[in-house]
Amino acid sequence: MSNFNNEQNKAINSTGNVIVSAGAGSGKTTVLTERVRRNILGEEREKVKLDELLILTFTNDAATSMKNKIKEALEKSLSLAHLVPLVDSAHIETIDAYQKFIVSKYGQEFGYPKSINVLPEDILLVKAVEVLNNIFEELYESENQIFKEIIFDYCVKNDNKFFDFILSIYKNNLAKVQRKHEFLENYKNNFVTKNYFENLILETENTIKKDISLLSEEVNHLINRDLKTYYQELFADLKGVDSFSDLIALKDILKSEDRKKVNDIINGIDDEFIKNEENRNRERIRKIYETLKNLSTFDLDTFLKIDIDKQVKFLTFIIDEILIKLVDRCEQFKFESGYFTFSDISNIAIDILEKSESIRNELKYQYKLIMVDECQDNSSVQNYFIDLISNHNVFSVGDI
């Protein structure tokens, strides 16, 4: 195959874990295809059978294209042409499809349904809305006191925004998590505590000090003397601020800059370069100052004496009495129906591999070569899955 240059041949004939990074249209997939052909042919290495290959793609179209390219490559070799009909049944597929194969094959050993089908994310969300509606109705009917407090404190006219808030947590933070109960418990223990919220105040104080220091630096970088003098006078009261309370004490003193005065000063600058620099610098100053001004209006006393306890109580209730029920009922629906999202199937496949060393080893030694096309599109979860079944034999191509 003289069509390949030195770098391509080096990639094709490489061993061990390899990443081939190159731009679009540079022949990465062609290199992968040729690597398959040479390994099956056994050129300068031990022959690899089709069922000892695992080729993972990002889309179904890419999988089909890969199969067609491999068929074409095999047809060109008389000794390999007989393998062409076997390509369609080989594991040349999306990582989602391969994970579904793993779950379908081994899932029953771990209590998963015999029939595993794919449920689109939007259909699951419809089910989650139905379940969450039922949970809300139950809480209203039971006249739960904490639920009533949340509705009274945070809802105006109706509970739509609160409902959407809970649903967004499920959709964006929980739906794709592998161990949902563990995730919620860890979140509650780490972020729903009085100590956590008190530490937030300390972190905010550090941010205030850094912002004031940064503000001073930005003012010192100003070139125009009139503009520098204006900002130094405007920010003079901030020099003694050493805590959140100090900043809040200045809330009546802090005021927006006189933008007309600033614009007049800048417009009076003759040098166009300096004028542009001062405008950029002034915009950075304005953003820092606006942040400090907004923080000065925070009711720290109420937050420390009342709001922290409320936040802990309300968030604990939301996790224990709403989110866990929502998770459990949606999971029950999936188990009873046999329908799971691709994220669920990915998590289940990983769970099976983590729990069973024998299955991990079976797959590790079944595949002599694992190839990953367009690897830049893989998530960290998908990469972890590949790591679980790899045996120093992963060849990945992509535009890293």
Side-chain angles (χ1 to χ4, degrees):
M1 287 285 174
S2 57
N3 293 337
F4 298 100
N5 59 37
N6 288 336
E7 287 188 342
Q8 288 173 325
N9 273 311
K10 186 177 178 182
I12 291 167
N13 294 314
S14 59
T15 58
N17 289 333
V18 178
I19 293 179
V20 177
S21 176
S26 58
K28 297 187 299 295
T29 304
T30 302
V31 164
L32 191 152
T33 305
E34 177 61 13
R35 184 179 171 87
V36 171
R37 190 193 72 82
R38 292 190 192 181
N39 274 278
I40 292 175
L41 190 61
E43 293 182 355
E44 301 179 6
R45 73 197 74 202
E46 182 185 354
K47 285 186 178 183
V48 175
K49 300 175 183 177
L50 266 176
D51 61 3
E52 294 174 331
L53 285 173
L54 173 61
I55 303 177
L56 302 173
T57 65
F58 190 66
T59 65
N60 289 320
D61 286 344
T64 300
S65 174
M66 180 67 67
K67 286 181 178 180
N68 289 335
K69 288 179 179 179
I70 290 173
K71 287 177 183 178
E72 290 173 7
L74 295 177
E75 284 172 346
K76 293 176 182 177
S77 301
L78 291 176
S79 60
L80 301 179
H82 68 285
L83 297 176
V84 171
L86 303 178
V87 172
D88 286 328
S89 59
H91 281 299
I92 305 169
E93 57 205 339
T94 65
I95 191 166
D96 288 332
Y98 182 68
Q99 287 174 328
K100 183 175 180 292
F101 163 78
I102 296 295
V103 175
S104 297
K105 183 175 181 180
Y106 303 104
Q108 281 185 280
E109 296 178 34
F110 299 87
Y112 293 101
K114 182 178 181 180
S115 175
I116 300 291
N117 300 292
V118 177
L119 178 73
E121 299 278 354
D122 54 346
I123 301 299
L124 175 61
L125 194 60
V126 171
K127 183 63 184 179
V129 169
E130 177 190 323
V131 170
L132 189 56
N133 266 319
N134 291 338
I135 293 171
F136 267 48
E137 286 177 12
E138 291 167 10
L139 290 168
Y140 278 119
E141 289 174 5
S142 67
E143 297 189 351
N144 183 283
Q145 189 58 41
I146 299 178
F147 183 71
K148 287 169 71 174
E149 284 183 57
I150 295 173
I151 298 299
F152 180 79
D153 283 5
Y154 296 107
C155 299
V156 180
K157 292 185 179 179
N158 56 53
D159 60 18
N160 291 349
K161 287 188 177 180
F162 179 50
F163 185 96
D164 291 342
F165 166 69
I166 300 294
L167 191 63
S168 70
I169 293 174
Y170 180 79
K171 177 184 176 183
N172 300 323
N173 302 100
L174 283 172
K176 296 182 180 181
V177 170
Q178 185 175 356
R179 297 178 178 89
K180 296 175 174 57
H181 274 239
E182 184 180 324
F183 175 86
L184 287 170
E185 197 62 31
N186 286 338
Y187 184 87
K188 188 170 63 173
N189 292 336
N190 290 308
F191 302 109
V192 188
T193 66
K194 190 170 184 177
N195 184 58
Y196 170 75
F197 287 110
E198 288 172 345
N199 284 336
L200 276 183
I201 298 301
L202 296 176
E203 290 175 15
T204 304
E205 285 193 337
N206 291 332
T207 301
I208 289 169
K209 293 173 187 176
K210 289 178 183 177
D211 280 351
I212 291 173
S213 176
L214 184 59
L215 197 62
S216 178
E217 289 178 19
E218 293 290 352
V219 171
N220 287 333
H221 288 153
L222 290 166
I223 302 170
N224 182 272
R225 184 175 298 175
D226 291 336
L227 195 59
K228 183 181 288 189
T229 300
Y230 167 75
Y231 277 125
Q232 285 173 340
E233 292 174 354
L234 180 65
F235 304 144
D237 292 314
L238 290 170
K239 288 183 178 179
V241 171
D242 195 44
S243 68
F244 207 155
S245 298
D246 289 343
L247 183 69
I248 291 170
L250 294 175
K251 66 180 178 182
D252 294 328
I253 297 174
L254 293 172
K255 56 184 182 293
S256 297
E257 60 182 293
D258 185 342
R259 299 190 183 188
K260 183 178 183 304
K261 185 173 181 178
V262 174
N263 289 335
D264 287 344
I265 293 172
I266 291 177
N267 289 334
I269 298 172
D270 293 329
D271 189 309
E272 198 65 29
F273 174 78
I274 294 177
K275 182 184 291 188
N276 290 336
E277 285 296 306
E278 301 292 58
N279 263 321
R280 282 191 286 268
N281 194 268
R282 177 250 172 177
E283 183 60 24
R284 291 194 294 270
I285 289 170
R286 186 189 67 77
K287 287 181 178 178
I288 299 169
Y289 185 60
E290 286 293 322
T291 299
L292 292 168
K293 188 179 70 172
N294 290 335
L295 283 172
S296 73
T297 64
F298 184 73
D299 190 344
L300 181 61
D301 192 53
T302 300
F303 181 76
L304 290 173
K305 292 180 180 178
I306 299 173
D307 290 345
I308 288 180
D309 288 335
K310 270 193 172 182
Q311 292 281 359
V312 172
K313 180 172 71 172
F314 289 166
L315 288 171
T316 299
F317 176 84
I318 288 170
I319 291 171
D320 291 344
E321 301 299 327
I322 300 179
L323 286 172
I324 286 180
K325 288 180 180 177
L326 178 59
V327 163
D328 288 346
R329 295 181 191 183
C330 286
E331 293 302 296
Q332 182 183 1
F333 162 76
K334 287 184 280 191
F335 267 80
E336 290 176 351
S337 65
Y339 279 91
F340 297 85
T341 65
F342 277 124
S343 294
D344 293 325
I345 292 170
S346 176
N347 288 334
I348 295 169
I350 289 172
D351 188 49
I352 289 170
L353 293 174
E354 285 179 336
K355 288 178 177 176
S356 175
E357 184 180 1
S358 62
I359 294 174
R360 284 201 311 275
N361 288 335
E362 178 184 332
L363 297 175
K364 277 186 177 185
Y365 296 107
Q366 176 181 344
Y367 303 113
K368 290 184 178 178
L369 286 176
I370 297 176
M371 301 189 184
V372 184
D373 195 23
E374 301 295 350
C375 64
Q376 77 277 357
D377 294 321
N378 283 354
S379 68
S380 58
V381 174
Q382 290 171 324
N383 286 332
Y384 175 60
F385 169 79
I386 294 169
D387 285 343
L388 286 171
I389 60 172
S390 66
N391 190 21
H392 199 60
N393 59 343
V394 179
F395 182 81
S396 300
V397 299
D399 188 357
I400 307 298

